[in-house]
Amino acid sequence: GYGVVRAYWLVNHPPKLSPVGHDLIVPGGWGLALCILAALLAAALRRPGASRRQSLTLVAMSVAVSAALVVAAALFVFDLVGGVFPGMGIDFFPLGAASRIACISAAVLLALAARGYWLRSGLHTPFAQGIRELSAPLSRTPAWAYWAAYVSVTGCLTRIVAQAVVGFDSSPLTTGGSEGMFDLCFLLAGTLLPLALVHHWGRIWPRWVVGMSGRRVPRWLVLGPGVAVSSIIVIYFGTMLLEMIAERLQGRNPFPPDDRMALPETFFWVAVPAYFVWGAGLAIAALAYHRRTREGDVSLVRGMAPMPGGESLVS
């Protein structure tokens, strides 16, 4: 269905769909090609493969196309900022936002279809075994999760320092009523959220939280923002970093000064990698939190023995 819309837009040029004009980061023809390929793969996933190699190839292609669709919709970050924080100088385009949501939805549906096909086919590979081990429940938060969380915080603080060096008044975002709320969410997502994913108080409400002390923190209250923020940052700024490298290899400034923004190139070579490090560290910490809070975790409360059957004593 989304491919039909893209085909129509390819013939009849749509209105402006984002602050940069287009709705996806790939040209119109490539967006349509991804949709067609996703539809063909979805149809193929309904039938068992003729051989093990064909089944593995089909799953690998489906995962690759799903990832490409998600990356193509990287401009969704503009929809979040423009829609949630109006007055920040980023216009919200409802039609473009709907297009990017449809693109991400197609990616998720194709990935789920590939997962179902994988389970039905009973394919077993060292890679699949590694994935299963990577998602197994944890009885304690490992050291690598703490490292990831604090590296994530470092990335956020590096981004703030980079802005301080060039001046906070040089940001292309407009000062408005939403600026204070945006800054607060920015700081919380870069400091409190990574730490909550690895520390005990991110799973059990601490004593100073009146009325909630000792109770479990709702799992998705922490994991949901962790997955969402890390995905958005890694996809958007990872793509931007690749584009910057490509531009510099061709001898061009990735961000030439213009009327709206005139920042030194060095700023972007510090800020964009800092964003990526922030998102990548947050993603690893979120994975640890997911495994730590899965059913089967026997020690959510420090120092309390598990009950028979593996359940915590905390209801």
Side-chain angles (χ1 to χ4, degrees), residues 37-307:
L37 186 55
L40 293 175
L41 289 169
L45 288 168
R46 292 176 57 85
R47 299 179 180 180
S51 67
R52 175 183 172 84
R53 174 175 292 183
Q54 289 181 359
S55 297
L56 290 173
T57 301
L58 182 58
V59 171
M61 290 181 62
S62 299
V63 172
V65 172
S66 296
L69 286 168
V70 171
V71 172
L75 295 177
F76 183 66
V77 66
F78 290 137
D79 303 322
L80 291 178
V81 177
V84 179
F85 304 102
M88 292 294 295
I90 297 180
D91 295 331
F92 180 71
F93 297 84
L95 184 60
S99 170
R100 289 180 280 276
I101 291 174
C103 187
I104 295 172
S105 300
V108 172
L109 291 172
L110 182 59
L112 290 175
R115 179 179 181 273
Y117 178 90
W118 179 279
L119 295 175
R120 292 194 309 273
S121 301
L123 297 172
H124 299 287
T125 65
F127 176 76
Q129 180 62 28
I131 292 296
R132 282 192 291 269
E133 293 176 357
L134 195 61
S135 60
L138 292 170
S139 60
R140 57 184 293 275
T141 302
W144 53 262
Y146 286 100
W147 276 103
Y150 282 92
V151 166
S152 178
V153 173
T154 302
C156 175
L157 297 180
T158 301
R159 169 64 182 89
I160 295 173
V161 170
Q163 188 67 54
V165 170
V166 298
F168 289 102
D169 57 347
S170 62
S171 172
L173 298 179
T174 303
T175 302
S178 300
E179 185 182 20
M181 183 59 67
F182 176 82
D183 291 341
L184 176 62
C185 291
F186 184 96
L187 287 173
L188 291 177
T191 56
L192 183 66
L193 180 57
L195 299 180
L197 288 167
V198 296
H199 285 285
H200 185 258
W201 48 266
R203 301 184 302 276
I204 301 295
W205 291 110
R207 295 177 180 178
W208 52 266
V209 181
V210 180
M212 299 295 290
S213 176
R215 297 186 181 184
R216 288 187 188 224
V217 175
R219 186 171 187 251
W220 285 100
L221 182 64
V222 179
L223 184 58
V227 172
V229 173
S230 63
S231 299
I232 292 169
I233 291 178
V234 169
I235 292 170
Y236 181 75
F237 289 99
T239 303
M240 181 183 294
L241 185 58
L242 291 176
E243 292 178 346
M244 289 171 58
I245 293 173
E247 287 291 302
R248 179 39 60 195
L249 288 176
Q250 299 179 53
R252 296 193 293 262
N253 183 350
F255 294 96
D258 55 28
D259 295 336
R260 188 179 182 187
M261 183 173 60
L263 293 171
E265 184 181 354
T266 306
F267 166 79
F268 295 101
W269 286 109
V270 174
V272 175
Y275 267 121
F276 185 77
V277 168
W278 171 6
L282 189 62
I284 296 173
L287 173 62
Y289 187 90
H290 162 68
R291 297 177 60 184
R292 185 74 169 84
T293 57
R294 287 188 63 182
E295 292 184 5
D297 179 8
V298 297
S299 56
L300 272 179
V301 180
R302 190 179 304 160
M304 298 187 72
M307 293 177 63

